[in-house]
């Protein structure tokens, strides 16, 4: 199962490159991935129905948490829909979109990744993995709904869907933790096996009931039930393929699947049936009622989907075997007819340019085959005989009729009320199904026939396949019955005809009621318009968002004042007062062996004095460069202290980081005034001094008290042994970073990548990887050239001398050194750069590879390589930087993070744990005996990320500012020339 998910993600990651080569035809290649996976799934039928297909990967054994996948009959049926409909929708996209549509590579990759994510969600047999896939579907849904990112409605709808589903997901996460803690495991199969004991035991029943309720909150929000139903119709801003897949066959079915999965174990908890039946019935009625009012056929289907989701949740959540069978039957039928209808809407919109029933007329004459397909799908949606919808709805009525019988879980009153709601909701379904067919294809008085361009066979094939399958299902429901029977364990079976009985009578009542509502559609519409002022969930959501926005503006206006002093005062005051209050209340004892200077290292005192002098000098400096330089003195002093304390790794890293930060500051300060205003004056001078002194003193004593408060031996005492035996290395610091506490490191590099991406998006508005152009086309000495200086002036004479001595005729020491203006060049610097650059790069690789056993590692190696690139940039300018690093730093960042992630995940494929290292000993020619630890691959990812981050800094604070300064210099020079010319003209006239 993991290879299936990995295949979807891998092809999705390469989708942008695929689309650049083959255009919209690439959708067919992407469709082959779920199609092949569907074939694999079909061959697993025997294993699935012979006991289940199970894969388990140990993850956190101490918490009894494993990454587990399990495909049983319920999951198998859901996977059929996920993969089958996914393949058809991707094939449909190859004709829905045009070759010149923008963003198709990202869209196709996201849609394919969504298919893989839904596969993982359904196959997950542990609650944590299920939650991860659950949230990934929310993120991908956000991206797909917002595909038309230039449209405000699409962006708003995408954000709305993300907020609603993520809020429900957070509630669901709390429920997962509660249930997993109470059960002692997160394995879904194990929890369901002990559900009877968990829901009745005095110590766990309350926790389980509350946890199950929170899981239902997640399911209700995901499946767009009342009161969260408003996000789904708004999501119709997405393209039709997204609606057909996410909002008919996949994402919104996640909540239905979760309820169906957990209902056999938790249906008897106190809150379960009131929630699923109450909210399900309310959603069924409200969605159907709202669908009758829509004039946009896509919105009509959207509200119909909301209604059907309430129907499905009520059925699968009932918790009886008959309801389980009916629920699976309804899920299959709904996926077939609703996906087909959304695809048909996409064709109509694509070929006519409208979805408004007030503008569509006589379409069945122009597109008779499409009209037939729509009638087939709509008939199944209405539950007419010979269609899959009829088979499913009959089984639903039978299940609920049985549920409030003498032996059922519902009381007579509750059973009759729910059954009545289902019948009324079914009547509404019949009515809006008829409205869809009439509104789309029927001729309307006073309207000319709508123009319709012919449809290619490939464009019509996906909805045709789905609509015909709905008909086949209605005539021959035996396969679906056989698929669902092992899950449901029901005494009844699905059948195309059960005879004249109560379910048929209820269906007939729904048909009659729906026909009456459609016949009186004008009166119903007028009634709905009159009642349009009733409370609405979307208006309530907008009101809440408005209140939050107003509160945010109020808070921002009072806290974000643009005053650096205010921000630092608040942060440092809180960081001072909280620890101080704790120390005053607890009154900890001062450690008896405390000292301020290590008696074994008297140089600490000297270095400390230097650090203090540097800090005071930074405070008193009147120029920015001097202030930054003095701050760096303190950083270098701390590095010396690390070295004296026997921490060469920390010392080297501190030195390298301080150097890179110093360069970044100096590059950025070129756009700032050189002088600093008097920062020590003003009314708040005393306040600043008090806060600074108190903060420093409190933090020092808090650290001392914290170290003295330890009652047990620190876990770090075991690190030397763990580093060698488990991590295979002698460098404790590096092994800790890439092995023992690799999770922390992975989180940190993820934050680095996110921060670098965010900052780059602000600076590089157009394109992050934009190159400055071919170096050989740049005029020699044109970059940074001082212009507008009078050659007869003293400054002009100085420039002439500099240009004479800085010009060389033979081959340049650097590739792009010649592009710099002679007055900007230093031949000595270029020679030194040429001599040390490659050595520094090789040394950085050495630090990377040797860091497992000696000082170094990926972080230090990446910094050394970054400093080498920095020297290259300083010596040769921005063109030299692009010659030295001719690649997009964003791609390098992603490659580094992907390398680290793959090194973490690969052990799972060979039966190990995530981030587990392997020690490989081998003999190589020339090198001899070699010990390779696989965590080095993780370190390679860190190395790539650090190098990419430095390149981003150099391009943003270096190259970009260079360009801006040159543009300003050109403008100033042109203005100076123009003014000089004007003065000369005035002098001549005078």
């Amino acid at each position: 199962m993991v290879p299936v998910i990995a295949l979807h993600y891998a092809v999705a990651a390469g989708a942008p490159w695929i689309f650049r080569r083959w255009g919209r035809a690439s959708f067919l290649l992407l469709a082959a991935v779920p199609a092949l996976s569907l074939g694999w799934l079909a061959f697993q039928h025997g294993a699935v129905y012979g006991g289940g297909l199970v894969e388990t990967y140990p993850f956190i054994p101490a918490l009894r948490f494993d990454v587990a996948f399990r495909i049983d009959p319920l999951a198998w049926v859901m996977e059929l829909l996920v993969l089958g409909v996914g393949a058809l929708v991707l094939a449909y996209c190859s004709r829905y979109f045009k070759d010149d549509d923008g963003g198709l590579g990202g869209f196709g990759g996201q849609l394919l990744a969504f298919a893989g994510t839904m596969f993982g969600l359904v196959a997950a047999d542990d609650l944590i993995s299920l939650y991860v896939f659950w949230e990934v579907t929310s993120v991908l849904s956000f991206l797909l709904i917002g595909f038309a990112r230039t449209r405000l409605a699409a962006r708003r709808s995408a954000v709305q869907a993300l907020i609603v589903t993520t809020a429900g997901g957070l509630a669901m996460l709390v429920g997962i933790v509660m249930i997993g803690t109470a059960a002692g495991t997160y394995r879904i199969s194990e929890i369901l096996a002990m559900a009877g004991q968990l829901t009745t035991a005095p110590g766990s029943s309350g926790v389980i009931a509350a946890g199950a309720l929170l899981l239902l909150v997640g399911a209700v929000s995901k499946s767009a039930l009342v009161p969260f139903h408003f996000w789904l119709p708004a999501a119709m801003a997405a393209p039709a393929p997204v609606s057909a897949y996410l909002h008919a066959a996949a994402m919104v079915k996640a909540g239905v699947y979760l309820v169906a999965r957990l209902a056999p174990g938790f249906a008897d908890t106190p809150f379960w049936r009131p929630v699923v039946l109450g909210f399900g019935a309310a959603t069924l009625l409200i969605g159907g009622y709202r669908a009758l009012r829509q004039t946009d056929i896509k919105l009509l289907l959207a509200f119909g989907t909301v209604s059907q989701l309430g129907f499905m949740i009520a059925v699968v959540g009932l918790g009886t075997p008959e309801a389980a069978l009916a629920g699976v039957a309804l899920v299959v039928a709904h996926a077939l007819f609703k996906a087909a209808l959304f695809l048909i809407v996409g064709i109509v919109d694509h070929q006519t340019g409208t979805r408004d029933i007030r503008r569509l007329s006589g379409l069945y004459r122009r597109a008779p085959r499409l009209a037939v397909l729509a009638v087939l799908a709509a008939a199944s949606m209405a539950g007419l005989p010979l269609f899959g919808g009829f088979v499913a709805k009959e089984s639903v009525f039978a299940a609920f009729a049985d549920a409030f019988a003498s032996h059922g879980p519902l009381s007579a009153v509750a059973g009759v009320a729910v059954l009545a709601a289902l019948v009324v909701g079914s009547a509404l379904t019949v009515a809006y199904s008829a409205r869809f067919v009439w509104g789309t294809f029927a001729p309307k008085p006073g309207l000319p026939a709508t123009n319709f361009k012919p449809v290619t066979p490939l464009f019509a094939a996906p909805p045709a396949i789905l609509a015909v399958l709905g008909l086949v299902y209605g005539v021959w429901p035996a396969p679906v019955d056989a698929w669902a029977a092992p899950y449901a364990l029901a005494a009844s079976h699905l059948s195309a005809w059960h005879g004249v009985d109560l379910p048929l009578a209820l269906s007939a009542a729904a048909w009659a009621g729906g026909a009456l509502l459609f016949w009186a559609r004008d009166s119903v519409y007028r009634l709905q318009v009159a009642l349009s002022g009733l409370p609405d969930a979307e208006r309530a959501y907008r009101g809440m968002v408005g209140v939050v926005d107003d509160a945010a503006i109020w808070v921002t206006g009072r806290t974000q004042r643009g005053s650096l002093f205010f921000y630092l005062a608040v942060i440092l005051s809180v960081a001072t007062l909280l620890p101080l209050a704790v120390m005053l209340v607890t009154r900890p004892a001062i450690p008896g062996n405390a000292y301020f200077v290590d008696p074994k290292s008297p140089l600490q005192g000297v270095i400390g004095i230097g650090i203090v002098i540097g800090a005071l000098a930074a405070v008193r400096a009147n120029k920015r460069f001097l202030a930054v330089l003095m701050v760096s003195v303190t950083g270098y002093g701390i590095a010396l202290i690390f070295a004296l304390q026997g921490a060469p790794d920390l010392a080297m890293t501190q030195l390298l980081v301080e150097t890179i930060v110093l360069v970044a500051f100096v590059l950025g300060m070129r756009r700032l005034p050189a002088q600093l205003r008097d920062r020590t004056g003003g009314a708040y001078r005393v306040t600043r001094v008090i806060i600074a002194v108190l903060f420093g003193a409190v933090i020092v004593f808090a650290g001392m008290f914290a170290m003295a408060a330890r009652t047990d031996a620190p876990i770090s005492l075991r690190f030397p042994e763990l580093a060698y035996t488990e991590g295979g290395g002698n460098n404790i610091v590096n092994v800790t970073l890439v092995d023992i506490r690799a999770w922390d490191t992975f989180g940190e590099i993820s934050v680095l990548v996110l921060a670098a991406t965010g900052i780059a998006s602000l600076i590089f508005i157009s394109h992050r990887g934009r190159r400055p152009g071919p170096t050989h086309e740049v005029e020699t000495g044109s970059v940074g050239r001082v212009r507008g200086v009078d050659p007869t002036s003293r400054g002009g004479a100085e420039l002439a001398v500099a240009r004479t001595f800085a010009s060389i005729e033979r081959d340049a020491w650097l590739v792009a050194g010649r592009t710099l203006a002679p007055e900007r060049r230093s031949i000595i610097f270029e020679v030194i750069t040429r001599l040390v650059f490659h050595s520094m790069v090789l040394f950085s690789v050495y630090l990377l590879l040797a860091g497992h056993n000696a000082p170094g590692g990926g972080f230090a190696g990446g910094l050394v390589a970054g400093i080498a690139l920095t020297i290259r940039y300083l010596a040769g300018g921005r063109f030299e930087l692009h010659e030295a690093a001719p690649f997009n730093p964003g791609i390098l960042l992603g490659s580094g993070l992907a390398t680290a992630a793959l090194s973490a995940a690969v052990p799972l494929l060979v039966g190990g744990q995530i981030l587990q290292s392997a020690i490989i000993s081998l003999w190589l020619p020339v090198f001899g005996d070699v010990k390779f630890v696989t965590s080095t691959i993780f370190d390679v990812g860190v190395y790539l990320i650090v190098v990419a981050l430095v390149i981003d800094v150099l391009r943003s604070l270096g190259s970009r500012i260079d360009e801006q300064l040159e543009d300003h210099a050109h403008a100033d020079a042109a203005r100076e020339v123009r003014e000089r010319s004007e003065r000369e003209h005035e002098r001549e006239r005078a």
Side-chain angles (χ1 to χ4, degrees):
M1 285 170 271
V2 170
V4 172
I5 301 171
L7 177 63
H8 280 77
Y9 287 161
V11 178
W17 289 273
I18 298 173
F19 275 84
R20 289 195 194 107
R21 184 174 180 84
W22 287 295
R24 67 175 184 172
S26 303
F27 280 112
L28 297 175
L29 178 61
L30 267 60
V33 176
L36 291 173
S37 302
L38 182 65
W40 170 85
L41 185 69
F43 281 106
Q44 305 306 313
H45 179 275
V48 170
Y49 285 84
L53 191 64
V54 180
E55 291 180 10
T56 304
Y57 304 95
F59 189 58
I60 308 178
L63 298 179
R64 298 187 63 186
F65 169 48
D66 301 328
V67 177
F69 298 97
R70 182 172 181 266
I71 297 182
D72 62 358
L74 174 63
W76 194 80
V77 174
M78 289 295 298
E79 301 289 25
L80 283 179
L81 299 178
V82 168
L83 297 174
V85 177
L88 291 174
V89 168
L90 283 166
Y92 173 91
C93 289
S94 67
R95 291 299 172 266
Y96 180 83
F97 293 103
K98 301 176 182 178
D99 278 321
D100 57 354
D101 286 337
L104 290 187
F107 176 86
Q110 292 157 13
L111 197 59
L112 183 61
F114 187 91
T117 303
M118 276 300 301
F119 182 93
L121 187 153
V122 173
D125 191 37
D126 65 271
L127 290 172
I128 301 297
S129 295
L130 184 144
Y131 175 76
V132 171
F133 287 116
W134 186 281
E135 290 304 298
V136 174
T137 60
S138 294
V139 174
L140 291 172
S141 171
F142 164 78
L143 296 173
L144 291 168
I145 294 172
F147 169 68
R149 50 185 174 272
T150 57
R151 293 172 48 209
L152 179 61
R155 298 198 302 271
R156 283 182 174 176
S157 300
V159 171
Q160 184 183 83
L162 183 67
I163 290 174
V164 173
T165 56
T166 303
L170 291 175
M172 176 179 162
L173 177 61
V174 177
I176 287 173
V177 173
M178 293 174 67
I179 291 177
T181 303
T185 179
Y186 288 93
R187 291 288 291 273
I188 297 174
S189 55
E190 295 178 4
I191 292 173
L192 292 177
M194 63 176 79
Q197 177 185 351
L198 293 173
T199 55
T200 56
S204 62
S205 58
V207 176
I208 292 294
L213 177 62
L214 291 173
L215 289 178
L216 286 179
V217 172
V220 165
S221 64
K222 196 76 158 184
S223 291
L225 266 65
V226 171
F228 307 111
H229 62 286
F230 56 87
W231 75 260
L232 181 56
M236 294 302 107
V242 175
S243 302
Y245 192 38
L246 274 67
H247 307 138
M251 175 182 170
V252 293
K253 291 291 199 315
V256 177
Y257 168 75
L258 181 64
V259 173
R261 172 63 68 197
L262 300 180
F266 298 130
D268 292 326
T269 55
F271 308 110
W272 187 274
R273 287 195 178 94
V275 170
V276 296
L277 296 180
F279 286 95
T283 304
L284 171 65
L285 297 176
I286 292 175
Y289 171 80
R290 293 290 301 274
L292 289 178
R293 184 182 171 184
Q294 305 306 314
T295 57
D296 183 331
I297 54 176
K298 193 175 183 183
L299 279 179
L300 186 153
L301 291 181
F303 279 103
T305 301
V306 169
S307 178
Q308 293 291 306
L309 287 169
F311 197 9
M312 285 183 279
I313 288 285
V315 176
V316 299
L318 183 59
T320 64
E322 287 71 21
L325 178 64
V328 173
L330 185 60
V331 167
V332 173
H334 180 267
L336 296 177
F337 66 67
K338 191 56 65 71
L341 289 172
F342 271 119
L343 295 179
I344 290 170
V345 167
I347 292 176
V348 171
D349 188 20
H350 190 276
Q351 304 301 102
T352 67
T354 183
R355 302 193 305 253
D356 194 334
I357 63 175
R358 295 167 296 186
R359 298 174 59 189
L360 292 169
S361 179
L363 207 58
Y364 78 94
R365 294 193 183 97
R366 303 293 182 91
R369 294 184 180 87
L370 190 66
V372 170
L373 296 179
V375 169
L376 292 178
S380 183
M381 182 165 65
L384 298 183
L386 300 181
F387 293 93
F390 173 76
V391 173
K393 198 164 293 185
E394 289 281 289
S395 61
V396 169
F397 288 151
F400 275 89
D402 183 70
F404 70 85
S406 58
H407 58 282
L410 298 179
S411 65
V413 175
V416 170
V418 173
L419 195 56
L422 298 185
V423 174
V424 174
S426 298
L428 293 171
T429 303
V430 174
Y432 66 69
S433 299
R435 179 178 175 82
F436 174 83
V437 175
W438 167 81
T440 308
F441 296 97
K444 301 178 181 66
L447 284 180
T450 305
N451 292 325
F452 187 87
K453 293 178 288 187
V455 180
T456 61
L458 181 58
F459 201 8
I465 293 172
L466 293 169
V468 171
L469 283 177
L471 176 61
V472 172
Y473 173 26
V475 176
W476 185 42
V480 178
D481 182 70
W483 296 340
Y487 157 71
L489 301 176
S492 59
H493 294 278
L494 300 178
S495 175
W497 180 253
H498 284 284
V500 179
D501 53 6
L502 178 61
L504 182 62
L506 296 176
S507 295
W511 299 332
L516 180 62
L517 287 171
F518 176 71
W519 178 76
R521 57 186 177 275
D522 294 335
S523 300
V524 172
Y525 182 78
R526 287 192 295 270
L527 176 63
Q528 290 183 318
V529 171
L531 298 176
S532 60
L534 294 177
D536 181 79
E538 185 169 6
R539 282 200 293 268
Y541 168 82
R542 294 295 180 193
M544 292 174 58
V545 171
V547 170
V548 172
D549 286 342
D550 292 341
I553 293 172
W554 185 88
V555 172
T556 302
R558 284 155 180 78
T559 57
Q560 301 296 317
R561 303 181 177 183
S563 168
L564 182 60
F565 163 72
F566 177 78
Y567 300 152
L568 290 177
V570 171
I571 295 171
L572 297 182
S573 297
V574 173
T576 300
L577 294 176
L578 286 180
L580 182 61
V582 172
M583 288 188 289
L584 292 175
V585 172
T586 58
R587 297 189 178 184
I590 298 178
N593 57 347
Y595 55 82
F596 284 93
V597 177
D598 189 352
K600 299 179 181 179
S601 181
L603 282 178
Q604 273 192 7
V606 178
I607 297 172
I609 293 173
I611 292 174
V612 172
I613 293 174
L616 293 175
V619 172
R620 300 296 301 173
N622 59 359
K623 291 186 177 181
R624 295 182 189 275
F625 178 76
L626 180 59
V628 170
L629 195 61
M630 291 301 100
V631 170
S632 296
V633 168
T634 65
Y636 288 127
I638 293 173
L640 289 176
I641 290 179
F642 287 153
L644 290 175
Q645 292 299 109
D649 264 294
L650 295 179
M652 179 171 59
T653 304
Q654 176 69 20
L655 284 170
L656 296 172
V657 169
E658 200 64 47
T659 303
I660 287 291
V661 170
L662 176 61
V663 171
F665 268 113
V666 171
L667 291 175
M669 285 191 304
R670 293 180 295 167
R671 296 304 306 269
L672 299 173
Q675 297 291 329
L676 280 170
R677 64 184 178 86
D678 185 8
R679 296 167 297 158
T680 60
Y684 299 105
R685 178 177 181 179
V686 177
T687 305
R688 295 171 182 171
V689 173
I690 292 174
I691 292 175
V693 172
L694 281 178
F695 174 74
V698 168
I699 294 302
V700 167
F701 283 99
M704 293 171 56
F705 293 144
M707 296 179 66
R710 184 183 296 277
T711 58
D712 201 355
I715 192 174
S716 58
L717 295 179
R718 292 192 57 205
F719 277 18
E721 178 186 357
L722 289 173
Y724 188 77
T725 60
E726 300 292 334
N730 292 318
N731 185 349
I732 303 170
V733 174
N734 187 254
V735 175
T736 299
L737 292 175
V738 301
D739 192 313
I740 300 174
R741 301 192 65 174
W743 267 119
D744 293 348
T745 305
F746 188 79
E748 290 163 3
I749 61 176
S750 301
V751 171
L752 270 178
V753 171
L754 289 174
T757 303
I759 294 172
S761 67
L762 295 176
I763 297 176
F764 301 104
I765 299 176
S766 58
H767 194 275
R768 185 187 205 168
R770 182 177 64 88
R771 292 180 57 83
T775 302
H776 66 273
E777 297 180 1
V778 181
E779 181 185 353
T780 299
S782 60
V783 177
R785 192 175 187 88
V786 177
R787 303 175 187 273
V789 179
D790 186 357
T792 62
S793 66
R794 179 171 180 175
E798 292 176 351
L799 277 177
V801 173
R803 288 169 180 171
T804 300
F805 284 96
S807 300
I808 54 176
E809 299 297 332
R810 59 185 181 80
D811 293 339
W813 289 96
L814 297 178
V815 176
R818 66 169 187 82
T819 62
L820 282 180
E823 61 269 23
R824 303 290 187 188
R825 297 182 67 180
S826 169
I827 303 302
I828 295 177
F829 195 10
E830 290 186 18
V831 172
I832 294 174
T833 302
R834 176 71 173 266
L835 293 175
V836 304
F837 175 76
H838 300 91
S839 300
M840 291 183 69
V841 172
L842 288 175
F843 182 59
S844 73
V845 175
Y846 166 78
L847 290 176
L848 166 66
L849 299 178
H852 219 65
N853 293 288
F859 193 75
L863 289 173
V864 171
I867 292 175
L869 291 171
T870 302
I871 295 174
R872 190 94 175 257
Y873 160 73
L874 294 175
R878 67 176 186 274
F879 285 93
E880 187 68 26
L881 173 63
H882 283 275
E883 291 293 336
F887 38 75
N888 189 332
I891 296 176
L892 194 61
L893 280 171
S895 301
L897 191 61
T899 301
L902 286 175
S903 70
V906 165
L908 293 175
L909 303 179
V910 294
Q913 299 179 23
I914 194 166
L915 286 169
Q916 182 176 351
S917 299
I919 303 173
I920 303 172
S921 298
L922 66 160
W923 183 89
L924 294 176
V926 180
F927 295 96
D929 293 325
V930 175
K931 184 179 74 171
F932 178 76
V933 184
T934 55
S935 59
T936 304
I937 301 175
F938 184 93
D939 223 6
V940 171
V942 176
Y943 178 93
L944 295 177
I945 289 172
V946 174
V947 172
L949 189 62
V950 174
I951 296 174
D952 250 345
V953 170
L954 294 176
R955 290 192 176 180
S956 57
L957 298 180
S959 298
R960 291 286 289 177
I961 293 181
D962 286 345
E963 294 176 11
Q964 294 170 5
L965 292 176
E966 289 171 20
D967 292 340
H968 291 164
H970 291 166
D972 293 341
R975 185 172 60 254
E976 178 66 24
V977 171
R978 186 170 59 253
E979 292 175 353
R980 188 185 306 136
S981 177
E982 291 174 354
R983 287 195 299 267
E984 291 177 355
H985 284 305
E986 291 176 359
R987 200 178 300 117
E988 291 175 358
R989 284 197 298 269

